[in-house]
C-alpha cells in the first residue's frame, strides 16, 4: 500500500522555484535565500531536467560524439545570420536584426502594444521567410481583423490559434517556419503538467520546450509575456535566464509614445531603445526621436532641466521636471516617475549636505517627461538642478542642458560619451551646458556652445542660477 507513493516520488522529480528571482531549491522553505521574498516558492516538475540527453540531441552538440574540450580558437563558428524584421527600430533594439535560432522575450503591460508590434513585424517578414503567428489570447478572426485594420499584407501571414505547446510544436515541425511568435507565454500549457496555464511551472516548462525547439531547428522565436504588478515577466524571473534577449515595451497609458528597451541581449547592446508612436494604423517608427521627450513649451519653466541621456548607442534629449512644495506631512513624500526612487532620496541628501539646500520639510516629485525611464547616473545632476529650480521658483537659463553623476561626497563625476551628448545638444540648438569637468572640452566651447565644467555640486548649483 505504501509502495505506490514512494514509487511516484522516485519518478517525478520536483523542485521549488522562487517566483521573484528564479532561484531554485530542492526543498520548500518560507523565505527565498537569494532575494529574501516570503512565500514565493512554487513547486515545479523537473520534466526537462530529467532527460539531459534530450536537450543535447539537436543543433548545439549536434553529433552523437561526447563533447570535447577545445580552445576557442579551434572552434569553428559562423557569423550570426541576421534578418531584418522590416521595422528599423525593432532591428536596432535586437542589435541589427533578428538572429537565427534566437529566442526573444517581449514583455510589457497588457494593452501596451506587444501583439500589434509583433503582428506588424511578422507580416513584413512573412514575405521573405516562412513565419507562424501563434495566438493563445485571441481568435484567428480577431487577429485577421486586426491585420486588416492595420492594412498589413495577409497573403503569406500564417496564423494558428492554439495553446497546447505539444500541438504547436507538431504544427511547427510540419510547417517548418523560420520564425514563430507565441502570444502569449502565459496562455500556453503542456500536457505533462497539471498546473494551470500562467503558473510558474507551466510558463517555465512551455518556454523551455520552445527554447529547445528553437535551438534544435534554428527557428527564431518571439515570446510575448505580460508583466506582473511587481514588474517581472510572468512572475518568475527564470524566463529571463532562459531566453537570448529580453525586450520591454514601455510607455505611459496617456501617451502615444512607446519605447522598446533591450533589457538583456546576447546579440547586441543592452539598454538600446527603439521609439514608436501609436496610431490608428499601428505602431509608427520614430527614427529620429531625440527631441520628442522635451515638453515643447516655449519659455523655460521653473523646475525643469533638459538632460542628454545616452541609452544604448543613441543620445536622447530628455526633460526632467521637479515639483518641490511645502509638505503637510511629517514624513514628506519623495516620488520619482521614470527614475529610481532610492536614487532620488540619496541625491536629496547630497543636495543638503554638499549644496546646503534643505528639502527635509518639502514634498519632492520628479518626473521624466514622455514616459521614458532613465536608468543611467548621468541624470543625477539634471535632477538636482530641476529640484533647486523648483524650490527657488526660478527657471534655469534658456537653452541650458546638463548631465553628470553626483557622488556622495558632492563631487560631479564624468559619464561615458560626453562628446556625443554635447554634439546632440548643440545640434538641437542648446547654447549652454553644465557638465562634469572630465566631459568638457579644454576650450570651454563646443560647436558654438558654452560648456561650463564643474567638479563639485556647489559649483554646478551656482552655474545654474546665473
Ligand atoms: P495590443 O497590441 O493588443 O496590446 P498587448 O498585446 O500588449 O496587450 O494593443 C492594445 C490595443 O491598442 C489594441 O486594441 C490595439 C490598440 N492599438 C492601436 O490602435 N494602435 C497602435 O499603434 C497600438 C500599438 C495599439
Ligand atoms: Mg496581446
Amino acid at each position: 500500500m505504501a509502495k505506490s507513493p514512494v514509487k511516484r516520488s522516485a519518478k517525478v522529480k520536483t523542485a521549488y522555484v522562487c517566483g521573484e528571482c528564479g532561484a531554485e531549491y530542492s526543498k520548500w522553505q518560507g523565505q527565498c535565500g537569494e532575494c529574501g521574498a516570503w512565500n514565493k516558492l512554487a513547486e515545479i516538475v523537473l520534466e526537462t531536467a530529467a532527460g539531459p540527453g534530450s536537450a543535447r540531441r539537436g543543433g548545439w552538440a549536434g553529433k552523437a560524439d561526447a563533447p570535447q574540450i577545445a580552445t576557442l580558437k579551434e572552434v569553428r563558428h559562423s557569423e550570426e545570420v541576421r534578418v531584418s524584421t522590416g521595422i528599423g527600430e525593432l532591428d536596432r533594439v535586437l542589435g541589427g536584426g533578428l538572429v537565427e535560432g534566437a529566442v526573444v522575450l517581449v514583455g510589457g503591460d497588457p494593452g501596451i502594444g506587444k501583439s500589434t508590434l509583433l503582428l506588424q513585424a511578422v507580416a513584413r517578414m512573412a514575405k521573405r521567410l516562412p513565419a507562424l503567428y501563434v495566438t493563445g489570447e485571441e481568435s484567428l478572426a480577431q487577429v485577421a481583423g486586426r491585420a486588416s485594420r492595420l492594412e498589413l499584407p495577409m497573403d503569406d501571414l500564417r496564423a494558428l490559434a492554439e495553446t497546447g505547446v505539444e500541438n504547436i510544436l507538431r504544427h511547427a515541425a510540419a510547417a517548418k517556419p523560420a520564425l514563430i511568435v507565441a502570444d502569449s507565454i502565459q496562455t500556453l500549457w503542456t500536457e505533462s503538467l497539471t498546473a494551470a496555464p500562467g503558473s510558474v511551472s507551466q510558463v517555465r516548462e512551455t518556454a523551455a520546450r520552445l527554447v529547445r525547439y528553437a535551438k534544435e531547428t534554428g527557428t527564431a522565436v518571439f515570446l510575448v509575456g505580460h508583466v506582473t504588478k511587481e514588474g517581472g515577466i510572468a512572475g518568475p524571473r527564470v524566463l529571463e535566464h532562459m531566453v537570448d534577449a529580453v525586450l520591454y515595451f514601455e510607455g505611459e497609458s496617456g501617451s502615444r509614445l512607446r519605447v522598446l528597451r533591450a533589457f538583456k541581449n546576447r546579440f547586441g547592446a543592452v539598454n538600446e531603445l527603439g521609439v514608436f508612436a501609436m496610431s490608428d494604423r499601428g505602431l509608427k517608427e520614430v527614427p529620429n526621436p531625440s527631441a520628442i521627450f522635451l515638453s515643447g513649451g516655449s519659455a523655460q519653466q521653473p523646475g525643469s532641466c533638459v538632460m542628454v541621456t545616452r541609452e544604448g548607442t543613441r543620445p536622447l534629449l530628455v526633460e526632467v521636471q521637479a515639483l518641490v512644495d511645502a509638505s503637510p506631512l511629517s514624513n514628506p513624500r519623495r516620488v520619482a516617475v521614470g527614475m529610481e526612487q532610492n536614487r532620488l532620496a540619496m541625491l536629496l541628501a547630497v543636495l543638503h549636505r554638499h549644496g546646503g539646500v534643505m528639502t527635509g520639510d518639502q514634498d519632492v516629485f520628479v518626473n521624466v517627461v514622455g514616459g521614458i525611464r532613465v536608468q543611467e547616473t548621468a541624470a543625477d545632476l539634471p535632477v538636482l538642478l530641476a529640484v533647486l529650480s523648483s524650490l527657488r521658483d526660478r527657471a534655469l537659463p534658456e537653452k541650458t542642458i546638463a548631465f553628470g553623476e553626483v557622488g556622495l561626497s558632492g563631487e560631479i563625476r564624468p559619464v561615458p560619451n560626453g562628446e556625443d551628448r554635447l554634439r546632440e545638444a548643440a545640434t538641437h540648438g542648446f547654447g549652454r551646458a553644465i557638465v562634469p569637468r572630465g566631459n568638457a572640452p579644454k576650450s570651454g566651447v563646443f560647436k558654438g556652445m558654452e560648456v561650463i565644467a564643474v567638479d563639485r555640486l556647489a559649483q554646478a548649483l551656482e552655474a545654474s542660477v546665473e
Side-chain angles (χ1 to χ4, degrees):
M1 250 177 75
K3 250 184 194 166
S4 75
V6 173
K7 235 185 182 172
R8 224 183 130 243
S9 68
K11 236 200 280 173
V12 183
K13 266 196 152 177
T14 62
Y16 295 85
V17 180
C18 172
E20 288 288 309
C21 68
E24 215 175 291
Y25 300 91
S26 57
K27 284 205 184 79
W28 189 84
Q29 56 195 58
Q31 186 182 23
C32 173
E34 290 287 322
C35 68
W38 285 96
N39 254 339
K40 290 285 178 187
L41 261 54
E43 187 174 19
I44 57 153
V45 177
L46 290 174
E47 199 80 30
T48 41
S54 62
R56 228 185 267 148
R57 258 194 310 263
W60 287 102
K63 327 275 153 17
D65 340 331
Q68 303 286 335
I69 296 177
T71 62
L72 288 184
K73 195 163 186 293
E74 295 162 10
V75 179
R76 269 191 300 139
H77 66 102
S78 51
E79 279 293 301
E80 291 145 2
V81 186
R82 288 187 189 261
V83 192
S84 165
T85 59
I87 302 178
E89 291 292 289
L90 180 57
D91 284 350
R92 158 189 285 279
V93 178
L94 288 168
L98 188 60
V99 175
E100 198 180 65
V103 182
V104 179
L105 178 62
V106 179
D109 290 324
I112 198 96
K114 302 180 292 296
S115 305
T116 307
L117 175 70
L118 290 176
L119 192 62
Q120 284 182 273
V122 173
R124 287 186 198 182
M125 293 175 85
K127 280 209 203 93
R128 285 169 287 135
L129 57 146
L132 178 62
Y133 184 90
V134 181
T135 171
E137 303 206 327
E138 294 160 300
S139 67
L140 283 188
Q142 282 174 309
V143 175
R146 182 195 298 245
S148 86
R149 208 167 40 248
L150 300 176
E151 295 176 30
L152 297 173
M154 306 207 283
D155 298 338
D156 307 300
L157 214 172
R158 288 182 300 172
L160 170 70
E162 174 64 69
T163 52
V165 74
E166 283 82 7
N167 286 338
I168 293 171
L169 292 179
R170 200 171 307 128
H171 281 292
K176 299 202 167 46
L179 167 69
I180 300 179
V181 174
D183 186 2
S184 66
I185 190 72
Q186 275 98 347
T187 58
L188 301 190
W189 60 284
T190 163
E191 288 161 8
S192 58
L193 296 177
T194 50
S199 62
V200 175
S201 48
Q202 285 285 9
V203 164
R204 192 180 132 113
E205 185 60 25
T206 50
R209 300 253 174 123
L210 288 168
V211 168
R212 196 188 313 151
Y213 177 81
K215 299 308 173 195
E216 282 175 2
T217 59
T219 311
V221 175
F222 276 112
L223 300 177
V224 174
H226 295 298
V227 170
T228 60
K229 262 206 295 295
E230 293 81 30
I233 287 180
R237 300 295 293 272
V238 67
L239 262 192
E240 293 172 1
H241 306 301
M242 287 160 56
V243 300
D244 297 308
V246 179
L247 313 181
Y248 274 104
F249 215 17
E250 305 167 345
E252 276 173 3
S253 49
S255 156
R256 282 174 50 242
L257 287 178
R258 294 285 179 267
V259 175
L260 189 65
R261 179 193 295 272
F263 175 78
K264 156 185 172 175
N265 193 353
R266 287 188 184 145
F267 307 111
V270 289
N271 275 341
E272 189 71 82
L273 296 186
V275 184
F276 299 90
M278 257 172 85
S279 75
D280 50 355
R281 291 209 28 217
L283 290 157
K284 298 256 182 306
E285 293 177 56
V286 184
N288 204 343
S290 190
I292 57 171
F293 294 107
L294 305 183
S295 66
S298 46
Q300 182 78 8
Q301 299 292 330
S304 147
C305 180
V306 176
M307 69 166 291
V308 193
T309 172
R310 198 169 181 287
E311 303 280 348
T313 58
R314 180 164 60 179
L316 280 179
L317 291 166
V318 172
E319 181 174 337
V320 180
Q321 290 183 330
L323 177 66
V324 181
D325 197 20
S327 177
L329 307 171
S330 58
N331 218 345
R333 281 183 289 183
R334 274 86 182 81
V335 179
V337 180
M339 69 170 288
E340 210 196 322
Q341 190 101 5
N342 287 342
R343 191 132 196 119
L344 174 61
M346 187 188 91
L347 289 172
L348 292 177
V350 178
L351 183 64
H352 180 211
R353 179 70 184 270
H354 299 284
V357 179
M358 245 273 279
T359 54
D361 52 354
Q362 309 275 332
D363 284 330
V364 179
F365 303 92
V366 170
N367 177 38
V368 182
V369 173
I372 189 172
R373 279 194 72 79
V374 175
Q375 285 170 341
E376 53 160 15
T377 53
D380 292 356
L381 183 57
V383 164
L384 288 185
L385 295 185
V387 165
L388 182 70
S389 159
S390 174
L391 184 70
R392 298 206 171 140
D393 201 22
R394 272 180 66 179
L396 262 74
E398 289 284 323
K399 296 282 169 206
T400 301
I401 62 115
F403 58 83
E405 178 176 338
V406 176
L408 284 183
S409 51
E411 80 277 20
I412 306 290
R413 297 210 198 110
V415 293
N417 305 92
E419 201 164 297
D420 256 18
R421 298 179 203 247
L422 287 173
R423 189 174 306 115
E424 189 68 21
T427 313
H428 285 87
F430 286 85
R432 201 157 176 273
I434 305 174
V435 305
R437 185 166 304 279
N439 288 127
K442 291 222 168 56
S443 60
V445 179
F446 187 89
K447 301 204 167 183
M449 186 166 54
E450 180 196 358
V451 180
I452 303 165
V454 292
D455 298 298
R456 309 277 317 158
L457 180 60
Q459 287 173 309
L461 299 182
E462 233 165 74
S464 76
V465 290
E466 263 163 30

